[in-house]
Amino acid sequence: MRIVFAEPAKTPAGCVAVFAIPERSLLGYGAALDKATQGALKRAMAASRFAGKKGQILSIMAPNGLAADRVVVAGLGAAKEMTRRSAEGVGGALLADANNAGQKALSILVDAPSGSPLPAAELAARVALGLRLRSYRFDKYRTKEKPEQKPTVTSVTVYVPGAATARKHYAALEPIADSVFLTRDVVSEPPNVVYPESLAKRAKDLGKLGLKVEVLGEAQMRRLGMNALLGVGQGSRRESQMVVMRWDGGRRGEKPLAFIGKGVCFDTGGISLKPAGGMGDMKWDMAGSGAVIGIMRLLAARKARVNAVGLVGLVENMPDGNAQRPGDVVRSMSGQTIEITNTDAEGRLVLCDVMWYAQEKFDPRLMVEFSTLTGAIIVALGHERAGLFSNDTRLSTQLRDSGAKVGEKLWRMPLGSGYDEGIKSDIADMVNSAGREGSSILAAQFLKRFVQGNRPWAHIDIAGTAWSNKGDATTPKGATAYGVRLIDQFVADHYER
């Protein structure tokens, strides 16, 4: 889909979109079109439930007085409440509407309402970003589709005063869409295509953007004592990998921020085998690693002024004669021992070694980790928010606030020494699983044991937000790339100079 920006001229033909705010108040271009059609737009609004609220869409077919065969009025919501995120949602809604109507070209006439915190050029760029994000499709394996199932829009023209400024704004935003799409791609791929070695290769390819990428294989990890991670993958014919991605865009010698992702490329549950129903969804048990790969791509693509390191542990958890057994005891890289009580509680075993390696190797300023760790977080929070566990209130508040700006919401969950009883082992330092009660908290409490000293750390459980069965204005059904924009905003808000 081609997106271009142009100065307003005469009203274009085809499908034309204009904006309104609450109380059915058309903005300048909409008012001009209404006058040209002798009040057709206002009559259509009065005859409908359209009120100009955020996300509302109203279509007027072939109005007299215009060359346009369809005029769409999009609600912006209250001017003073407009945000970049809400503007993106308008763009996504307009694209979905145009595709549903079978339009090939879409023209958007952008003007900003009085009192808007977004000037027209920035509003136009954000609308365009929403269009682009909504346009994502993972269809590379489809060979037959009915025409009505295919998107139709191939070009979008955004008309706005100061088109050159809008174009510049949008150029700075394009790396967001490209990085989100990379994460959506790798999470959507089937497990016979994305597995530890192939995902490591995709990460390695990001070196062309200036990232320093290193891939560690099983022999190297064994020498490091990463037996918790290696135990998870020992039942698979695929070799486990750890990928380290570095971006040195900040001050020389300044400690990096560390972002860590769980990459279980397929999770059968191992010997503690999952039920068949829904097991196919376990291809996206690597969504945490997908998010970190997207994060590092975005920081590099936009030349972020920060030092950052992204680490992902990549494994397959498979049942096999050589697979890890319930009852096994493994010694992690930290030296702490873990009794395996459930081989389906494998993500924390991967993460604990990667977290320890990150601290030993890079001594980071903080660690933020993403993982589809527990189904229990979905029971607690549904699909609206990811669970946030942290030992640092300042870090958790920063993450929550940055996430709210981009629509990636977080809810802080408790930690505390009282939960340590739940992971006590009779024969080792801890167990990896202790049953259903408080299981998301116990998983986080387990990971906290691998944080050195008082280092700020956050664990974000994205089991309920990594994949969507319904989508939203800027995210089609499927992989969401949750975490990519959150961390980019977090870095921009608090750590770039």
Side-chain angles (χ1 to χ4, degrees):
M1 186 180 68
R2 183 168 171 262
I3 299 176
V4 298
F5 295 85
E7 295 290 335
K10 65 179 182 179
T11 303
C15 180
V16 180
V18 293
F19 295 152
I21 57 176
E23 309 305 326
R24 298 188 172 102
S25 179
L26 290 163
L27 299 188
Y29 294 124
L33 265 59
D34 184 61
K35 184 177 180 180
T37 60
Q38 299 181 348
L41 276 62
K42 287 184 178 178
R43 289 196 300 273
M45 287 192 291
S48 72
R49 293 182 175 179
F50 180 89
K53 295 180 180 179
K54 181 175 66 177
Q56 287 188 317
I57 296 287
L58 176 67
S59 295
I60 300 99
M61 301 301 295
N64 288 330
L66 294 178
D69 53 31
R70 186 166 175 262
V71 173
V72 177
V73 185
L76 292 179
K80 64 182 180 180
E81 296 174 3
M82 281 180 56
T83 64
R84 293 168 177 172
R85 173 65 179 167
S86 67
E88 292 165 15
V90 171
L94 283 172
L95 181 67
D97 174 77
N99 276 326
N100 287 338
Q103 305 285 164
K104 292 184 178 179
L106 172 63
S107 298
I108 307 173
L109 302 177
V110 176
D111 41 10
S114 176
S116 166
L118 300 180
E122 186 178 1
L123 173 60
R126 289 288 171 173
V127 167
L129 176 61
L131 284 156
R132 175 88 192 285
L133 290 169
R134 178 67 187 187
S135 72
Y136 178 82
R137 291 186 94 222
F138 189 78
D139 57 3
K140 63 187 287 187
Y141 300 111
R142 294 178 182 173
T143 61
K144 296 179 181 179
E145 275 188 291
K146 296 178 181 178
E148 62 269 23
Q149 294 175 319
K150 298 179 181 180
T152 56
V153 177
T154 57
S155 68
V156 177
T157 304
V158 182
Y159 293 94
V160 61
T165 302
R167 196 177 300 116
K168 185 176 180 180
H169 276 301
Y170 181 68
L173 298 175
E174 280 193 290
I176 294 174
D178 293 338
S179 302
V180 165
F181 285 9
L182 170 63
T183 296
R184 290 178 182 173
D185 278 347
V186 298
V187 176
S188 300
E189 287 280 9
N192 59 321
V193 173
V194 163
Y195 46 88
E197 298 100 323
S198 66
L199 187 51
K201 183 180 183 304
R202 291 205 185 193
K204 189 84 172 175
D205 289 343
L206 298 180
K208 61 190 176 187
L209 292 174
L211 287 170
K212 299 173 184 175
V213 185
E214 180 184 12
V215 179
L216 281 68
E218 289 185 354
Q220 292 162 290
M221 288 189 283
R222 193 167 290 111
R223 287 194 292 270
L224 289 166
M226 301 179 76
N227 301 306
L229 182 154
L230 291 170
V232 176
Q234 72 187 41
S236 174
R237 297 173 64 184
R238 309 279 196 187
E239 181 174 332
S240 299
Q241 311 268 282
M242 182 172 68
V243 181
V244 182
M245 298 160 281
R246 290 183 57 187
W247 172 249
D248 298 321
R251 294 175 180 173
R252 187 178 183 87
E254 188 172 57
K255 292 180 180 180
L257 311 178
F259 306 113
I260 294 162
K262 169 189 169 184
V264 180
C265 297
F266 194 75
D267 182 21
T268 66
I271 296 298
S272 305
L273 192 67
K274 292 179 182 291
M279 192 188 288
D281 291 342
M282 289 300 98
K283 71 176 187 177
W284 49 264
D285 206 21
M286 42 62 68
S289 65
V292 170
I293 291 169
I295 288 163
M296 296 305 295
R297 187 207 181 280
L298 180 49
L299 295 179
R302 70 173 185 82
K303 308 297 184 207
R305 299 183 305 278
V306 70
N307 294 335
V309 58
L311 303 98
V312 295
L314 308 178
V315 301
E316 277 188 341
N317 187 23
M318 303 292 283
D320 178 80
N322 192 47
Q324 186 164 258
R325 297 158 291 252
D328 285 359
V329 173
V330 296
R331 185 178 300 275
S332 68
M333 184 181 175
S334 72
Q336 297 175 88
T337 56
I338 306 162
E339 180 186 1
I340 309 302
T341 51
N342 184 342
T343 64
D344 195 24
E346 82 300 329
R348 65 204 71 178
L349 300 173
V350 174
L351 291 167
C352 71
D353 274 347
V354 178
M355 287 169 57
W356 198 262
Y357 177 88
Q359 294 168 97
E360 292 287 289
K361 180 76 172 178
F362 299 105
D363 188 23
R365 299 163 68 182
L366 55 83
M367 293 191 296
V368 181
E369 169 265 308
F370 289 90
S371 54
T372 50
L373 205 63
T374 66
I377 204 68
I378 305 175
V379 176
L381 300 176
H383 299 278
E384 291 297 311
R385 288 171 171 80
L388 168 64
F389 301 81
S390 180
N391 63 354
D392 188 278
T393 296
R394 180 171 178 265
L395 173 59
S396 65
T397 301
Q398 289 176 343
L399 288 166
R400 182 200 64 199
D401 292 348
S402 295
K405 290 181 181 179
V406 297
E408 296 187 350
K409 295 179 284 189
L410 294 165
W411 190 264
R412 191 174 182 184
M413 302 288 286
L415 290 167
S417 58
Y419 292 106
D420 282 326
E421 282 294 314
I423 55 174
K424 283 182 64 175
S425 167
D426 292 333
I427 63 170
D429 293 327
M430 68 196 87
V431 298
N432 75 319
S433 177
R436 299 179 64 185
E437 294 184 4
S439 58
S440 293
I441 302 170
L442 294 180
Q445 199 74 25
F446 176 98
L447 291 173
K448 187 174 181 289
R449 294 192 176 192
F450 298 87
V451 179
Q452 297 177 1
N454 295 318
R455 191 185 312 274
W457 156 79
H459 155 57
I460 301 178
D461 192 334
I462 61 172
T465 56
W467 190 272
S468 173
N469 288 323
K470 60 180 182 179
D472 62 27
T474 58
T475 307
K477 178 181 176 181
T480 65
Y482 184 102
V484 175
R485 298 195 65 186
L486 188 161
I487 291 300
D488 181 59
Q489 188 68 49
F490 166 75
V491 169
D493 285 344
H494 303 291
Y495 290 95
E496 283 194 275
R497 292 184 176 88

